[in-house]
């Protein structure tokens, strides 16, 4: 099965096409990633088109779409979700949403880097981080958003084997740094593999904003004051 993968939950726009085998093996046919937190909307459709061209496929050749649902900043995240939903609707194929942090840990695990307990942490801006904790690849806490120092204090008594995510935050924890810094095509498709292969009816896409957006209507600004 051929799957389009999209993620805009971090400062990078991640797109690609992967082939999913019957035993849930993932082979990446195309991968286009550009880091630019201010141009998600401008870059996304172009990178999808480039990914399809690189894979030698057209839209009708796809069997599904997998999209990262965050957690992530409001503006970038909604670009990815809206675009994935539009492709699914236009091509009449299912769209599967996955936690972007799950995809990062799945990527690290596929590369042989996750053993035991893993922490995924990404930049949430406003001096905060998004995070989730995993044991043997399964999420046991999070996703949530908190100040880095607060998270370090909360996890002070937890033995963590590997930490993946944004540079500048991963080094605050006593754990082996992984090689994964953002969601990948392999990780995204791996998380959704069982649902895609089963041709399950996907759940509605729910963005993991975890907090209110930066931009609010004037009436809400007055309420805050």
């Amino acid at each position: 099965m051929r799957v389009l993968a999209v993620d805009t939950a971090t400062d990078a726009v991640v797109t690609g096409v992967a082939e999913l085998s019957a035993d849930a093996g993932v082979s990446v046919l195309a991968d286009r990633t550009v880091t630019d937190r201010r141009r998600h909307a401008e870059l996304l459709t172009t990178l999808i088109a480039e990914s399809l061209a690189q894979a030698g496929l057209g839209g009708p050749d796809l069997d599904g779409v997998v999209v990262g649902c965050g957690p992530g900043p409001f503006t970038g995240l909604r670009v990815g979700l809206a675009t994935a939903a539009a492709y699914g609707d236009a091509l009449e194929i299912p769209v599967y949403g996955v936690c972007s942090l799950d995809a990062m840990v799945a990527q690290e695990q596929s590369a042989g880097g996750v053993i035991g307990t893993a922490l995924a942490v990404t930049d949430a801006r406003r001096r905060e981080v998004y995070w989730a904790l995993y044991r043997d690849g399964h999420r046991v806490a999070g996703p949530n958003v908190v100040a880095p120092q607060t998270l370090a204090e909360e996890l002070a008594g937890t033995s963590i084997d590997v930490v993946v995510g944004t540079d500048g935050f991963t080094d605050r924890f006593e754990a082996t740094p992984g090689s994964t810094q953002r969601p990948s095509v392999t990780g995204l498709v791996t998380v959704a593999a069982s649902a895609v292969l089963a041709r399950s009816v996907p759940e509605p896409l729910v963005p993991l904003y975890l907090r209110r957006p930066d931009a609010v209507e004037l009436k809400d600004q007055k309420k805050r004051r």
Side-chain angles (χ1 to χ4, degrees), residues 147-154 172:
Q149 184 58 37
T150 301
L151 178 60
E153 293 171 358
E154 290 179 356
R172 302 186 184 210

Side-chain angles (χ1 to χ4, degrees), residues 67-178:
V67 59
C69 292
F74 181 83
T75 302
L77 191 55
R78 68 179 178 176
V79 168
L81 290 171
T83 302
Y87 267 80
D89 184 60
L91 298 172
E92 297 183 340
I93 55 177
V95 181
Y96 299 93
V98 302
C99 174
S100 301
L101 299 178
D102 291 0
M104 292 170 60
V105 173
Q107 166 63 35
E108 190 71 15
Q109 193 168 26
S110 71
V114 173
I115 300 174
T117 302
L119 174 67
V121 56
T122 58
D123 185 8
R125 305 176 196 176
R126 302 190 198 173
R127 299 180 180 179
E128 293 181 321
V129 292
Y130 298 116
W131 69 275
L133 189 68
Y134 301 79
R135 289 196 179 92
D136 299 323
H138 301 286
R139 179 160 25 103
V140 295
N144 211 332
V145 59
V146 72
Q149 184 58 37
T150 301
L151 178 60
E153 293 171 358
E154 290 179 356
L155 298 178
T158 302
S159 177
I160 302 172
D161 299 298
V162 178
V163 57
V164 299
T166 307
D167 284 343
F169 295 106
T170 55
D171 56 4
R172 302 186 184 210
F173 304 91
E174 294 184 2
T176 301

Side-chain angles (χ1 to χ4, degrees), residues 5 15 35 48 52 59 64 66 87 112 125 127 153 164-165 170 183 195 201 203 221:
T15 67
T35 302
I48 290 175
L52 289 169
V66 176
Y87 267 80
R125 305 176 196 176
R127 299 180 180 179
E153 293 171 358
V164 299
T170 55
V201 176
E203 297 289 334
Q221 293 179 7

Side-chain angles (χ1 to χ4, degrees), residues 20-25 197:
L20 186 59
S21 64
D23 62 354
L197 290 171

Side-chain angles (χ1 to χ4, degrees), residues 8-13 34-38 40 125 166 182:
T8 55
T10 67
D11 60 353
V13 180
V34 174
T35 302
D36 189 334
R37 70 171 55 184
R38 299 182 181 276
H40 284 58
R125 305 176 196 176
T166 307
R182 61 183 62 86

Side-chain angles (χ1 to χ4, degrees), residues 12-72:
V13 180
V14 178
T15 67
V17 180
E19 191 167 71
L20 186 59
S21 64
D23 62 354
V26 177
S27 298
V28 176
L29 304 179
D31 187 348
R32 299 284 288 122
T33 298
V34 174
T35 302
D36 189 334
R37 70 171 55 184
R38 299 182 181 276
R39 299 174 62 214
H40 284 58
E42 179 182 344
L43 292 169
L44 183 54
T45 53
T46 298
L47 294 181
I48 290 175
E50 291 177 358
S51 295
L52 289 169
Q54 181 181 342
L57 302 174
D61 298 314
L62 297 173
D63 298 297
V65 181
V66 176
V67 59
C69 292

